[in-house]
Amino acid sequence: MPKALKTHPTRAAQQALERLEALCLERGQRLTRQRRAVLCQLLAEGRALSAYELLERLRPEDGRSTPAGVYRALESLMQAGVVHRLESTRAFILCEHPEAPHTGQLLICRGCGQVVEAEDARVSAATGRLGERLGFSLDQRVVELTGLCGRCRAPHAAHAQ
Amino acid sequence: MPKALKTHPTRAAQQALERLEALCLERGQRLTRQRRAVLCQLLAEGRALSAYELLERLRPEDGRSTPAGVYRALESLMQAGVVHRLESTRAFILCEHPEAPHTGQLLICRGCGQVVEAEDARVSAATGRLGERLGFSLDQRVVELTGLCGRCRAPHAAHAQ
DNA sequence: GCGGCAACTGATACATTGTATCATTTGTTG
DNA sequence: CAACAAATGATACAATGTATCAGTTGCCGC
Ligand SMILES: [Zn+2]
Ligand SMILES: [Zn+2]
Ligand SMILES: [Zn+2]
Ligand SMILES: [Zn+2]
């Protein structure tokens, strides 16, 4: 009788979690204890985490977590389209727009670690056409733009969190 | 008296090597034995290699090569703009257009491993504008498009090389 | 050429990230 | 409940990348 792991999410987070869980099921992924736990942690953290950072956070609640387990859970969640992997930082983050599966762009701030997910039509069109022009049929598009976000670039602004 | 490593490049490769070496020097990188050796191997191989594949190939000629040494050489060559790192495969490849430092796009074939480097104005413009729109000042743009190249997609074509 | 200094190297150890394997457990289906 | 596929637990290992520090090398001005 494996009950859900104890977490204390806010009401909104709870709803977000349910929405993500529904999407996983719709897309043919079983939603198991480990997968739910990974989802919870990513939601609670609100930023990108490495697989081993996830593991650290899961261990206290489930001493049986292992690297392989975490990677397997992440694999399933990426399959379901609710998690993305950041290739340039080797981290994982919740999808911000999981309703429709998509090929997005990720903007990563060096300063605060913030990741913003975009779905820019011009970028998508341009990369698609580039593939065509060079005779490639693309099945994965990694677009990761790194720099400083507005807040981190502001000259002497108080660090408003 | 560390003489240059023994390699037997073609005449054309030799010229390419000299051109790359000149660029490294122009851009303020010392061109040492290890760096030259890494450059040679990448040129000889003509495809992307992981740091440890490079190490395997360097060891026979220079038993003192170490992972740290290879990574340091690669770091310098990337600084000089003559080598790129493929984030999505964790490999390194010679730049095809090293004359002008650039933010290019890489197309990677799953079938044959071929990497094609592009400098598409529309993609560059679109990613640049996306960054601006979201208030980011970008300093790195990773655009890696993976799929099947024309040859690998050809239905029953003979494997013409 | 020669001293002095910064950059680079060699050596070693270690840190991080990701997989393989296989016996066991769990969930679903009939 | 039986049977089967999927997922897990446990363990070990593979692949990728860094830290440290003593010693060496290349460069620059004399
Ligand atoms: Zn997304
Ligand atoms: Zn920021
Ligand atoms: Zn290039
Ligand atoms: Zn191909």
Side-chain angles (χ1 to χ4, degrees):
Chain A
M1 190 195 289
K3 58 179 173 303
L5 296 174
K6 292 266 276 307
T7 49
H8 306 289
T10 66
R11 188 94 205 86
Q14 188 65 20
Q15 287 181 354
L17 186 58
E18 280 164 17
R19 191 169 54 104
L20 291 169
E21 292 181 355
L23 287 170
C24 290
L25 293 174
E26 276 172 31
R27 293 170 188 167
Q29 298 293 316
R30 289 185 191 173
L31 194 47
T32 62
R33 183 177 45 86
Q34 286 193 109
R35 295 175 190 178
R36 205 185 311 265
V38 167
L39 218 42
C40 281
Q41 282 304 324
L42 285 174
L43 190 59
E45 195 78 20
R47 65 179 185 93
L49 291 176
S50 77
Y52 280 78
E53 286 172 336
L54 272 168
L55 184 59
E56 277 175 18
R57 286 160 177 71
L58 295 178
R59 274 263 162 84
E61 309 225 336
D62 179 353
R64 293 171 305 181
S65 294
T66 62
V70 171
Y71 280 102
R72 286 185 295 218
L74 288 167
E75 175 63 27
S76 161
L77 296 170
M78 288 193 292
Q79 225 34 78
V82 300
V83 164
H84 297 297
R85 178 200 298 253
L86 288 93
E87 296 293 345
S88 48
T89 60
R90 259 133 268 183
F92 301 85
I93 193 167
L94 272 193
C95 175
E96 293 176 10
H97 311 293
E99 314 306 349
H102 60 124
T103 294
Q105 300 93 41
L106 299 171
L107 288 96
I108 305 164
C109 177
R110 272 188 208 298
C112 59
Q114 168 190 197
V115 176
V116 176
E117 199 178 333
E119 184 68 32
D120 185 275
R122 276 196 291 241
V123 172
S124 299
T127 53
R129 267 188 296 205
L130 175 58
E132 276 174 36
R133 184 158 70 75
L134 298 182
F136 278 69
S137 67
L138 301 181
D139 53 23
Q140 189 198 14
R141 304 188 202 183
V142 174
V143 178
E144 295 181 2
L145 311 177
T146 300
L148 285 179
C149 75
R151 276 218 308 275
C152 289
R153 196 154 31 87
H156 306 118
H159 271 222
Q161 207 269 349
Chain B
M1 187 197 289
K3 59 178 172 305
L5 296 175
K6 291 266 275 309
T7 48
H8 306 290
T10 66
R11 189 92 206 86
Q14 187 65 19
Q15 287 181 356
L17 186 58
E18 280 164 18
R19 190 170 54 105
L20 291 169
E21 291 181 357
L23 287 171
C24 289
L25 294 173
E26 276 171 31
R27 294 172 187 165
Q29 298 294 314
R30 289 185 190 173
L31 194 47
T32 61
R33 183 177 44 85
Q34 287 193 109
R35 295 174 190 180
R36 206 185 310 266
V38 167
L39 217 44
C40 280
Q41 283 304 326
L42 284 174
L43 190 59
E45 195 77 22
R47 65 178 185 94
L49 290 175
S50 77
Y52 281 77
E53 285 171 337
L54 272 168
L55 184 58
E56 277 174 19
R57 286 160 177 70
L58 295 178
R59 274 261 162 85
E61 309 225 334
D62 179 353
R64 293 171 304 181
S65 294
T66 62
V70 172
Y71 279 102
R72 286 186 292 220
L74 287 167
E75 176 63 27
S76 162
L77 296 170
M78 288 193 293
Q79 232 19 91
V82 301
V83 164
H84 297 298
R85 178 201 298 255
L86 288 94
E87 296 292 345
S88 48
T89 59
R90 259 135 268 185
F92 301 85
I93 193 166
L94 274 193
C95 176
E96 293 176 9
H97 312 293
E99 314 307 348
H102 60 122
T103 293
Q105 300 93 39
L106 299 171
L107 288 97
I108 305 164
C109 177
R110 272 189 206 298
C112 58
Q114 169 190 198
V115 177
V116 176
E117 199 179 332
E119 183 68 32
D120 184 276
R122 275 196 291 240
V123 172
S124 300
T127 52
R129 267 188 295 201
L130 175 58
E132 275 175 37
R133 183 158 69 76
L134 297 183
F136 278 69
S137 68
L138 301 180
D139 54 23
Q140 189 198 15
R141 304 188 202 183
V142 174
V143 179
E144 296 180 2
L145 311 177
T146 300
L148 285 179
C149 75
R151 275 218 307 276
C152 288
R153 197 154 30 86
H156 307 118
H159 271 224
Q161 203 267 349

